Every structure is written in structure tokens, then in C-alpha cells.
Amino acid sequence: MPDAAAAIAKTGMPPPCGESCGTQHRSTLAKTQPARENAGLHALISQAMDFYRFMAAKAALEQRALAKSTAETAVSVACAVPVQATEGAEACHALARSHLQQGNRDAAAAAWQQALSFPINDLVLLDAIAQGLRDLGRDPLARMDMAQGVSPLNQTTAWQAVCLSVLRQDWTAVLPALQDACDSHPACIRRANNLAYALRQLGRDAQANCIIGSAQLESGNYGLAAEAFAAATPEAVQVPEFLSRAILALRYTNGEAKALQLARSSAELGRCNEAARIQWANTLTDLHRVEEARAVLRAAAEETGQWKLRLQSELILPQVAASIEEIARADAHACSYIRQLEQMALPAGEDTLTDLYTSLEPNFYLGYRSEPNIDPIRCFGRFVSRVAAARFPQYGFPPQRRDTDGRRLRIGYASCYLVNHTITRHFAGWFEHANRHEFEIHMFPFAAELDPMSAYLGAYADHVHPTTYGLEAIAETIRAADLDLLVHLSIGMDPLSMQLGALHLAPVQCVSWGHPVSTGLTAIDYFISVDSMEPADGNMHYSERLVTLPGVGVAIAETHPSEKTMARIDFGLPERVPVFLSLQSLFKYLPQHDGLYARIARELPDAVFVFVEGDMPAWTRTFRNRMEASFEAACLPPEKYIRILPRMAFSAYQSLLCCCDVALDTMDFSGGQTSYDLLSNDLPIVTLPGRMMRGRQTYGMLKQIGVEDTIATDADDYVRIAVRLGQERAVRDDISRRIRKNKHLLFNDPRPVQALEAFYRWATGNALPSDQAKFRLWPPV
């Protein structure tokens, strides 16, 4: 569900830093968080609150903790008294330096010795304290009774060993533990800084820069990542560990030419591995040089025999296309190859099959088209299922159903996105409103790192299973849970979900509309969708049997807008003119619809149209070029009308919604979570329902609340409605008033969850007499 949450809003939550959890009950997942915030998280999770209130309460808790810590540190430095906060080592270090400047060496030494009594997770600080003591002729290891900061009482044994090695200046000894720490949390800047500092002490500055670059890339700090890689030597960058990351950092920072130069020079030296070749091809695809991208991957596949390169060379699709013709050519090529795959004999040998299966990825962009594309989706799904059965015959058939007489039904929810993500925002109500007397909820979070939102959801589950890594380990974990029914919240947004979805891990398996496109997989029995959003022939668009829920299918929480903190001027938007907002991921905007915005502008000469940048600068450039061309074709100056804003924090995103007059939904693949956010803010949305459910989500929401004035019947009607809303403030205000009055029908509706659980009983052979009336079971295709 790549929506505004993914394309725009960085939700303001801190980078995750919790460890993996074991099988747990209720809210005990919070125990994986640092000890200092445990009490606060437990207190929040134990309260009855929805997703958004939890986010707001957690942010307030963090702000209070930060303010308290800052105050304690300031008082302790001023009064030279022991500091109880974690930041005490820094305060003592500052105090020691102050004493030293005043010539008080004994007081400085005492402060540095006190610093070692606090937990220290920063090697730069630890080394500075140790060096200060050495400069005063004191041995930092002499008083280990005070060195509580490096004792196993406060740190892990591995960290204790690292700290002791640092105090001994044995930098080589610390590298393995620091590398393991970075590998387990690749986005943790602190861990990367520690490893980089140790490498610099050994004269390995170029490698240190690459370590920093990798961590900054994982954290989303793309400019800093590119700078760090640029500061390293070419030899350091051109190693398998870093090369693909360096190319990706350049893609993120308008550095496509440098990325291509780096890739070519690395290939000439024989240093361009599989991951780097794929980033090389992606860079070419960003620039609409798809045939060159295929050539790069085909050459590498011929050289290495790797299935991933072979598949991607034929299935590569443009992310944001420059024209309808580019989409048609790329889709035709990919669909032709998919038909060939279905006829292909599978390779022999477990290793080769493993390479093939783990190389399979969803054809993500094929779902973002005006056509259903169900035939190639089914065809590819059958191929994936055939490979799965050959590689994992133990998962080739559903497990036997367990005896559920008198027992709660075991329902499993599996996803890579059970963290602070759009999927969580959308489906949290299925956890929050679950009937725990009848259903035993199992949560399988397969994110690389869990976060407080994982803890929040875990509070509504009976079992939160360990975050295991590797396809086989995850499959074993799910199968061992002996579920009655497994729900994949989305399949099609990442390779792992598709590879798991092809395996029979529970007697009944379903997928929800987290990615509202059929999987094509034979192991998925049911596609769970929304009755109000499906067209009359909706079942024809799925390989799975279609099941639809009432309402909007979820008991979704209403966004709680924070106080408006930004005005139009802060976004560079003019006052007293109609501002149209369209905030979808750029790959949702198909070229055939570009002219609609210029048609609206022709009738509203003062209007402004607001979009948001794509993931890659090249995608934004392509979209901007298309928009400008459509306005110029209408003899309108594009710079007057078009605003493409940078990605922003969630609070800024909420303020932006309050600054605009009308929202324009995308064609063929409508807004999902974005539309809920818009309606939470009473903003009128113009939408044109498409042929498939994925293009009818906003339509279903508006039908649910009985505000249908802005549902268009065709493109001309879409333009007419938008123009009228832009011209007539009274009409906008009336629609906003009716949204405000009726939106309670959209949010926190328990009926969809009751219908969902009725379906669970029916699908597992435990139906009550009234269950089948609560959901709709469509005939099989």
C-alpha cells in the first residue's frame, strides 16, 4: 500500500533500535526497548488508546524525558554532584575539562573517574575520557571498582569487552564486536560511528567513511551518505559490501551520471557484483534507458549464471514512465517473458532451485496500470508456485487442520510492515477490535528491526513470534504455530511476502488488500477486500476467491490532527487562491491523465496544484517534465501552477492538508490511507472510480459517508467537479461540513472486524448460523 505515509510522511518516530523478541504474550514486546523507556511504553500500551493517540502520547513522553534529562545534566554540572541520567558521562567529561582549564588536575581526574561509573555507548567519548586520565598520569583501568560503565551490570559482555579493549588502546580487538553490532542494526548511526572511530585509529579512514555512508543511507540521510562515500577512496568503495550502496546514494541525490561512471569503472576492474549491477540497471531505468539496463543485466547473467540478474533483465519496468509508449513497450516485453517462464522447465538441483526461488520478486509496477493485467499476474503466480513446490515439497500441501472443538481459533497475521508503516495504520483495527475470547491472535513481524509500533500491536496479540531471518526459518516458525488460518496483510510489495505466500503454512491462507492486486499464487485461498470498493465483476480480477467485508473493511482510527503549526507561506503557496492537493506516490500518475490538471487550470487561472517529490530525484524530474509539457500544450505557464514539494514530516503533512482547498485523487489507482487522512481533515476529494478495486478506494469511502457530490462519472465530469469546487467557496464549505458530520461512519467501525471474524469461523469450518450473512463470498473465477 504505497500511499502518502510511504511517499510523504516521515512519521516522526525515532529510528528503531530494539532487539528481536521471543515468543511473548500481550505487551511484553515492549521489554525489547531500552530499559529507561520501558516503564513509559508499558504505561502507554496498557491504556485503551488507538494508533494515533499512542503515537502522540509516546512523542510527549519522549519530550518530557528529554527535558528532564537535560535539566538533570545541567544541574549536576553546575553543582558537581553525581548525575543519575544516562548522559552523566558526558556531563562529567565536560566538568573535567572545565576543571583542567582552571588548573585543578585532581578535580579533573576525579570527574573523569566518575564518568567511567556511567554507561557509555560512545567510543569517542570513552576514548577521550581515557586519554584525559592518561594525560594526567592516571591509568583508566586502575580503579575498575568504579568503572561501572564498562561492567557487565550495565552492559552486555560483548560491549564490556569492547570498552576494556578501548581503555587498553587495543583497537584491532574491538573490530569484530563492533562489526556485528552494525550488521544487526544497519541504520544505527551511533554503532556505525563507533566502528568508524575504531577503524580510523588503525589508519583505515576510507573504510570508515564507507561504514558511515552505509549507515546514513539506511537511515534515509542520503546527502550525508553520498558525501561519506565521496570522501572514501575508489578502492574502498568498489568492494561488494559498499559498491551498490554508493550507487544507490548517488541515485538518491541527483548523481545519476556519477553513479553510471562508478558502475562502469568498477565493471572494467571486475568489481561490479550482482547488487551493484542491479543498481546500475536501476539508474539507467530512472533515465528511461531501459534497453541499456537490460543489456547490463543480461551480460552479468551470462557471466555469472545468477537467476536474479536473468529475471530482472527481462522483467524490469520503468518506475515513473516518460510516456504511454514507454509503459506499453516495457509491459509487453515483461508479459511476453512471463508467458515463457510458465513453459520453462525448472532447473535441477537444490542449490539452483534455491537461487531461482530467492530471486523471485513481485512485478510491482505491473499493478499500477489502467488494465487489470490479471492474465500475466496469474501466469507469474503459477510459475512462482511451481518453483515453490519443487524447492519446498514439505510446504506443497496445506497442513492438516487441528481439532478446534472448544478451543479458540488461531489466527496468524504475517507482514514485513508490522512497524510504524502505512500497513499498520490501515489494519491496526483488526488487532485492536479482535474478539480475544474466540480468537488466539499470533503476530509474525518480519521487519529487520522492530519499533514501538510493533510493541503497540503486540499488546493486542496473544503471541508475538520471534523475528527470524531467512525464508526457511520464517516458514518453519509459521508452520510450527499450528494455525487455523493465516493472513498475509500484503503480498506484492516485497520479495519475502511473495515467497512466503507461495508456501502452504496453514490450512487456510488469505491475503488482504494491503497491496490491492491479486497474487496469482495457488497457495492463497482467499483475497479479503471491501464490498463498497469492488466493481460488479470484481471477482474476475483475482486468482483467489474473493471475500468482501462491509463498511470500509477496517476499523480504522481517525487521524488526530495536531494544532496547525504551518501556514501556506511555509510551503511556498499563495494566499487567497484555490489550492488543489494531490499527494500520491508518483508511479500512480499515468501519462494518459496528465492533461486533466491543465484542463482544470484553464478554467481557474489562479489555481495552484500541489504534488510531492518521488523517492528518486529522477522520478520527480520525469513527472515534472510531463506536467510542464501538458501545461505548455494548453498554452499555460507551468511555473505559475505547479508546485512539487519535498518529502516532509508527518506533522508538516498534516499542516499541509489544512492549507489546501480540494484534493484530486489519482486515476486507476486511487488514494488509500491518504484519503482517510484527507477526510479526517474534512477536505473534499474529487475521484473517478476505476475498473478495479485499487482505483475505487476513495469512491468506497465517500459512498460510506454519503458524500457523493465529488464522485465523477468520467474525465470530463472530474474536471467539471474540480472547477466548480475551485470557483465556489460555498460549495466547498458545504461538502466539508457534510464530511465533518458523517465521517464518524468511516472510522472505528466494528462491523468490518465482526464480519472478518465471521469469515474466519466459516473458512475454518466453525461457522455460526448467522455468520455467512455478515460477509460476502464471491463465486470462484
Side-chain angles (χ1 to χ4, degrees), residues 50 191 197 241 246 415 420 492 560 625 708 732:
D50 63 28
R191 295 181 183 219
Y197 185 74
E241 182 183 358
S415 178
N420 195 15
H560 301 289
N625 290 341
E708 303 180 25
R732 295 200 304 268

Side-chain angles (χ1 to χ4, degrees), residues 1-2 423 426-427 488-491 493 511-516 527:
M1 184 178 293
I423 293 294
H426 212 72
F427 294 103
H488 295 273
L489 292 178
S490 67
I491 293 178
M493 292 166 59
V511 63
S512 79
W513 70 97
H515 183 57
F527 194 104

Side-chain angles (χ1 to χ4, degrees), residues 428-504:
W430 286 6
F431 290 78
E432 294 164 338
H433 295 271
N435 183 343
R436 302 288 291 285
H437 296 291
E438 293 188 31
F439 298 95
E440 181 180 304
I441 306 300
H442 290 246
M443 176 173 150
F444 300 91
F446 302 125
E449 294 183 359
L450 304 181
D451 67 10
M453 286 300 104
S454 309
Y456 173 78
L457 284 184
Y460 296 96
D462 293 277
H463 299 276
V464 180
H465 289 266
T467 299
T468 51
Y469 300 97
L471 177 67
E472 292 186 67
I474 294 172
E476 290 171 3
T477 297
I478 297 176
R479 178 66 81 90
D482 198 15
L483 301 173
D484 297 304
L485 184 146
L486 173 65
V487 179
H488 295 273
L489 292 178
S490 67
I491 293 178
M493 292 166 59
D494 62 277
L496 179 60
S497 67
M498 186 188 71
Q499 293 163 16
L500 283 172
L503 306 178
H504 290 276

Side-chain angles (χ1 to χ4, degrees), residues 365-592:
Y365 296 105
L366 204 58
Y368 288 82
R369 302 291 187 255
S370 57
E371 299 297 321
N373 282 327
I374 186 61
D375 289 337
I377 287 171
R378 284 184 180 134
C379 190
F380 189 71
R382 288 193 295 267
F383 172 70
V384 173
S385 300
R386 187 159 59 98
V387 180
R391 173 59 187 85
F392 299 104
Q394 69 272 35
Y395 301 127
F397 299 93
Q400 186 175 0
R401 296 191 180 195
R402 71 188 184 99
D403 180 10
T404 58
D405 187 28
R407 303 177 184 177
R408 291 189 298 167
L409 293 178
R410 289 181 187 162
I411 307 300
Y413 292 101
S415 178
C416 296
Y417 307 107
L418 292 171
V419 291
N420 195 15
H421 187 273
T422 302
I423 293 294
T424 305
R425 296 177 65 196
H426 212 72
F427 294 103
W430 286 6
F431 290 78
E432 294 164 338
H433 295 271
N435 183 343
R436 302 288 291 285
H437 296 291
E438 293 188 31
F439 298 95
E440 181 180 304
I441 306 300
H442 290 246
M443 176 173 150
F444 300 91
F446 302 125
E449 294 183 359
L450 304 181
D451 67 10
M453 286 300 104
S454 309
Y456 173 78
L457 284 184
Y460 296 96
D462 293 277
H463 299 276
V464 180
H465 289 266
T467 299
T468 51
Y469 300 97
L471 177 67
E472 292 186 67
I474 294 172
E476 290 171 3
T477 297
I478 297 176
R479 178 66 81 90
D482 198 15
L483 301 173
D484 297 304
L485 184 146
L486 173 65
V487 179
H488 295 273
L489 292 178
S490 67
I491 293 178
M493 292 166 59
D494 62 277
L496 179 60
S497 67
M498 186 188 71
Q499 293 163 16
L500 283 172
L503 306 178
H504 290 276
L505 303 177
V508 181
Q509 301 194 142
C510 311
V511 63
S512 79
W513 70 97
H515 183 57
V517 179
S518 176
T519 68
L521 301 172
T522 59
I524 301 298
D525 303 300
Y526 299 98
F527 194 104
I528 302 172
S529 184
V530 186
D531 202 61
S532 63
M533 299 178 185
E534 287 289 349
D537 63 345
N539 60 301
M540 302 301 294
H541 303 150
Y542 302 95
S543 62
E544 308 84 358
R545 191 169 189 186
L546 181 61
V547 176
T548 52
L549 305 178
V552 291
V554 287
I556 195 165
E558 182 179 355
T559 308
H560 301 289
S562 56
E563 184 178 344
K564 182 179 175 183
T565 58
M566 301 175 71
R568 283 191 177 188
I569 191 171
D570 298 307
F571 296 103
L573 302 176
E575 300 288 349
R576 294 184 293 280
V577 302
V579 174
F580 291 88
L581 193 63
S582 193
L583 297 179
Q584 299 302 319
S585 300
L586 294 187
F587 45 76
K588 284 188 176 183
Y589 296 87
L590 296 178
Q592 59 263 40

Side-chain angles (χ1 to χ4, degrees), residues 237-240 243-244 247 259-281 296 300 303-304 306 309:
V237 173
Q238 291 171 331
V239 299
L243 181 56
S244 65
I247 296 173
L260 295 178
Q261 182 181 2
L262 176 60
R264 291 193 193 99
S265 62
S266 301
E268 290 170 358
L269 297 171
R271 297 175 180 172
C272 201
N273 65 343
E274 173 191 301
R277 293 268 183 175
I278 290 171
Q279 286 302 330
W280 182 359
V296 165
E303 179 184 330
T304 65
Q306 291 176 328
L309 296 168

Side-chain angles (χ1 to χ4, degrees), residues 179-261:
Q179 185 65 63
D180 288 345
C182 284
D183 291 344
S184 64
H185 293 80
C188 183
I189 303 298
R190 173 181 56 77
R191 295 181 183 219
N193 284 336
N194 283 340
L195 177 56
Y197 185 74
L199 289 168
R200 294 188 199 283
Q201 306 315 300
L202 296 169
R204 294 158 63 176
D205 289 41
Q207 185 182 357
N209 286 329
C210 290
I211 292 290
I212 296 297
S214 295
Q216 295 289 4
L217 182 68
E218 291 286 343
S219 299
N221 302 318
Y222 305 126
L224 294 176
E227 290 175 10
F229 284 121
T233 62
E235 293 76 16
V237 173
Q238 291 171 331
V239 299
E241 182 183 358
F242 300 125
L243 181 56
S244 65
R245 297 173 184 176
I247 296 173
L248 180 57
L250 289 169
R251 285 182 67 206
Y252 273 120
T253 53
N254 276 307
E256 295 89 4
K258 292 180 180 178
L260 295 178
Q261 182 181 2

